[in-house]
Amino acid sequence: MALTGIQIFKLLPKTNCKECGVPTCLAFAMNLASGKAELDSCPYVSDEAREKLAEASAPPIRPVKLGKGVRQTTTGGETVLYRHEKTFFNPTVLAATVASDIDAAALDSKLKVYNAFQYERVGLNLRPELLVVKDVGAGAAAFADTAKKIASESEFNLVLMTEDVDVMKAGVEAAGFKRPLIYAATEANVDAMGALAKENDLPVAVKADSVEALIPLTTKLTGMGIKDIVIDSGSREIKQALEDQVAIRRAALKAGNKALGFPTITFPCEMASNLDMETVISAMFVAKYGGIVVMSDFTTESLFPLLLERLNIFTDPQRPMTVTEGIFEIGNPDENSPVVVTTNFALTYFIVSGEIEASKVPCWLLIKDSEGLSVLTAWAAGKFGGDDVGMFVKKCGIMDKVKHTELIIPGYAAAIAGDVEEELPGWTITVGPREAAHLPAFLKSK
Ligand code: B12
């Protein structure tokens, strides 16, 4: 539960030393409570207070880091039931299953196919993160070999899936360097799996046969000093599994139940007999509230819609998607190439850059920070005014890259032309078409 400013104030040194940048400890406490300051700015806070404040400001669902390297990811860390209340933070992690007895050649070709599943959208690389190595009874050596090959030869991170502690030990020895998730500690093996996780500083998943039955197991593991826990309520029936997800999220957020304050792992692969149905069930867990979703396989027709669904659900509804302010080169422009300016709303950028690309006329595309607003919205909000745009053109460095002095502005922003001209004496401000779809013809005609 978050602390109030007054509760935080009681834990501060109350010296009013001002070294944190504000005049009093009370003001600093208020800033901490509203997330405007960081505790580290106070040089005199005691270790005891630091611990209490860190505990109090921890999210009600623990964020758990999975894996290492470029596909390292975090699951959990959520603070709201509904996305519109604030935002969801850590996208559902997508996993496919590999049997422990797979032969090396088959694994090589699988990894090659899986690695190719990467999609560029709005400047992001959308791709899955995890492979589950599933013990199919082929022995500890086969389990370890498969885990090691994936860990060392691919970017994928791992879930090691066996309830046999000896097999798990072999897997951890082979692939522990990539910080795999151990799946699973159960009532029967919780002591040994807990010890293995603790010894190797690895996250561990707990599997029980109901939400209630998870509580003694997570309590035991946290008692052993293990913090990075993922939970599986065991249900493989769709309706019950969804109800469990909601019950766990509510218990953690609304009832402050710390024993359930962990991300979940779900298994559509064990809930359907074909990948199409698995995909539908996975989509349900992406929406509500799967931390990790395990499928039997990745195929492009299953993965792509899930990645896009995930992208949409895990963006902040209060912040439009943006691109960085600056100069973008489209198609190797040179000193004579046209200079085009627009806003940093990701949708605007991708439409405009796409049309310039299609025109095959190399251009310099200047992106002005407009707080993620479209051309007309930004203009109406005073974020794309003529003087702002002119100043931006001056300071962005484009003048060192081109010999000419012509700037093309969006047709919808025609009204700013005069002010831009005033800010950029000697430049010609050309009003482009209103719709980006007309840009190719416009650029070619120039
Ligand atoms: Co508004 N909003 N909005 N808005 N909004 C609209 C823009 C509009 C036109 C609605 C209306 O009244 N008819 C008015 C503007 C009127 C005007 O001034 N002429 C308007 C207004 C007034 C406002 C507010 C001021 C309302 C208020 O608070 N009083 C606020 C301002 C925001 C603020 O203060 N912070 C406001 C707020 C919003 C929200 C709800 C926040 C969203 C903003 C979403 C966002 O921008 N990220 C919003 C939206 C969605 C719209 C709406 C419906 C769509 C805008 C949009 O996303 N367009 C429009 C209405 C409409 O246009 N149908 C109103 C899509 C993008 C891709 O278009 O950036 O213009 P674009 O790019 C296109 C072209 O301009 C061209 O290519 C693109 C595709 O063709 N292009 C080109 C882009 N760059 C370049 C560059 C060159 C060189 C060329 C040639 C072409």
Side-chain angles (χ1 to χ4, degrees):
M1 200 63 76
L3 293 183
T4 64
I6 297 296
Q7 285 167 322
I8 294 173
F9 175 64
K10 286 182 186 158
L11 295 166
L12 294 178
K14 302 184 200 66
T15 52
N16 295 336
C17 71
K18 304 184 183 57
E19 287 181 45
C20 62
V22 289
T24 62
C25 290
L26 183 59
F28 181 59
M30 293 303 172
N31 285 349
L32 276 177
S34 60
K36 286 188 210 139
E38 291 199 9
L39 188 59
D40 284 345
S41 312
C42 173
Y44 305 111
V45 68
S46 70
D47 289 346
E48 189 201 347
R50 188 180 293 278
E51 203 172 295
K52 279 189 187 156
L53 288 167
E55 176 83 358
S57 58
I61 296 173
R62 184 172 170 81
V64 175
K65 264 204 182 113
L66 301 171
K68 291 255 166 82
V70 291
R71 297 200 196 207
Q72 184 189 60
T73 186
T74 299
T75 178
E78 302 302 339
T79 57
V80 291
L81 270 180
Y82 303 105
R83 175 177 175 269
H84 61 256
E85 289 176 72
K86 184 171 171 63
T87 183
F88 292 162
F89 291 98
N90 290 305
T92 306
V93 183
L94 299 176
T97 313
V98 176
S100 61
D101 65 350
I102 189 168
D103 68 57
L107 183 52
D108 276 337
S109 45
K110 211 180 240 295
L111 290 177
K112 209 167 156 204
V113 172
Y114 286 177
N115 189 52
F117 292 144
Q118 303 197 33
Y119 310 88
E120 294 293 328
R121 286 293 179 282
V122 288
L124 301 170
N125 180 283
L126 312 184
R127 59 191 174 190
E129 295 83 7
L130 287 182
L131 293 179
V132 175
V133 179
K134 183 179 181 183
D135 178 14
V136 291
F143 187 77
D145 285 351
T146 304
K148 187 171 184 176
K149 197 168 164 59
I150 296 172
S152 48
E153 293 177 22
S154 82
E155 289 174 355
F156 283 97
N157 283 303
L158 294 117
V159 178
L160 300 177
M161 182 179 190
T162 179
E163 288 176 22
D164 180 323
V165 177
D166 291 329
V167 174
M168 187 64 88
K169 275 188 184 152
V172 166
E173 209 165 290
F177 67 93
K178 222 160 168 193
R179 198 174 153 77
L181 171 67
I182 291 181
Y183 178 98
T186 62
E187 198 182 352
N189 70 16
V190 62
D191 292 300
M193 285 292 189
L196 189 61
K198 178 129 178 83
E199 232 168 76
N200 293 280
D201 189 23
L202 296 178
V204 58
V206 170
K207 185 189 177 190
D209 55 13
S210 67
V211 172
E212 296 71 37
L214 283 167
I215 295 171
L217 296 176
T218 58
T219 306
K220 180 157 215 170
L221 288 172
T222 44
M224 291 168 77
I226 297 171
K227 290 182 173 162
D228 289 339
I229 298 171
V230 171
I231 52 182
D232 173 11
S233 65
S235 176
R236 300 293 183 261
E237 192 274 317
I238 302 176
K239 187 168 190 293
Q240 186 59 52
L242 176 63
E243 283 174 11
D244 286 359
Q245 293 302 309
V246 176
I248 289 168
R249 175 74 57 108
R250 290 195 81 89
L253 296 189
K254 298 292 171 202
N257 186 338
K258 290 230 175 245
L260 293 173
F262 300 101
T264 61
I265 182 166
T266 62
F267 288 88
C269 56
E270 295 179 7
M271 300 168 71
S273 55
N274 64 66
L275 192 60
D276 295 344
M277 193 59 199
E278 274 183 41
T279 309
V280 173
I281 300 169
S282 299
M284 175 186 86
F285 287 128
V286 170
K288 244 179 170 56
Y289 293 117
I292 303 171
V293 164
V294 183
M295 286 177 287
S296 57
D297 198 5
F298 290 143
T299 63
T300 196
E301 66 277 16
S302 158
L303 192 56
F304 178 66
L306 289 174
L307 288 167
L308 276 195
E309 180 200 5
R310 173 174 96 166
L311 173 68
N312 281 290
I313 288 182
F314 287 85
T315 49
D316 185 342
Q318 293 171 51
R319 276 186 39 214
M321 292 194 75
T322 58
V323 286
T324 323
E325 179 172 274
I327 304 174
F328 289 73
E329 296 180 17
I330 303 185
N332 288 325
D334 61 24
E335 56 196 16
N336 299 311
S337 302
V339 177
V340 178
V341 67
T342 191
T343 72
N344 76 331
F345 182 29
L347 182 61
T348 303
Y349 167 78
F350 284 102
I351 295 175
V352 173
S353 61
E355 293 295 347
I356 296 176
E357 246 175 76
S359 77
K360 306 253 186 296
V361 179
C363 286
W364 300 98
L365 178 58
L366 308 186
I367 295 297
K368 184 192 172 306
D369 184 358
S370 61
E371 296 178 9
L373 297 176
S374 78
V375 170
L376 262 183
T377 319
W379 176 72
K383 315 275 181 213
F384 199 71
D387 38 359
D388 292 343
V389 172
M391 298 256 277
F392 166 65
V393 173
K394 270 193 218 160
K395 70 165 199 235
C396 73
I398 189 66
M399 292 179 178
D400 302 331
K401 294 183 187 290
V402 292
K403 275 200 315 207
H404 66 83
T405 49
E406 182 185 10
L407 176 71
I408 303 169
I409 64 169
Y412 281 116
I416 68 170
D419 287 346
V420 184
E421 236 157 30
E422 241 169 69
E423 197 62 46
L424 293 175
W427 276 60
T428 308
I429 309 304
T430 304
V431 178
R434 289 187 157 198
E435 295 305 326
H438 300 142
L439 255 172
F442 172 82
L443 290 170
K444 278 185 206 148
S445 73
K446 283 186 75 59

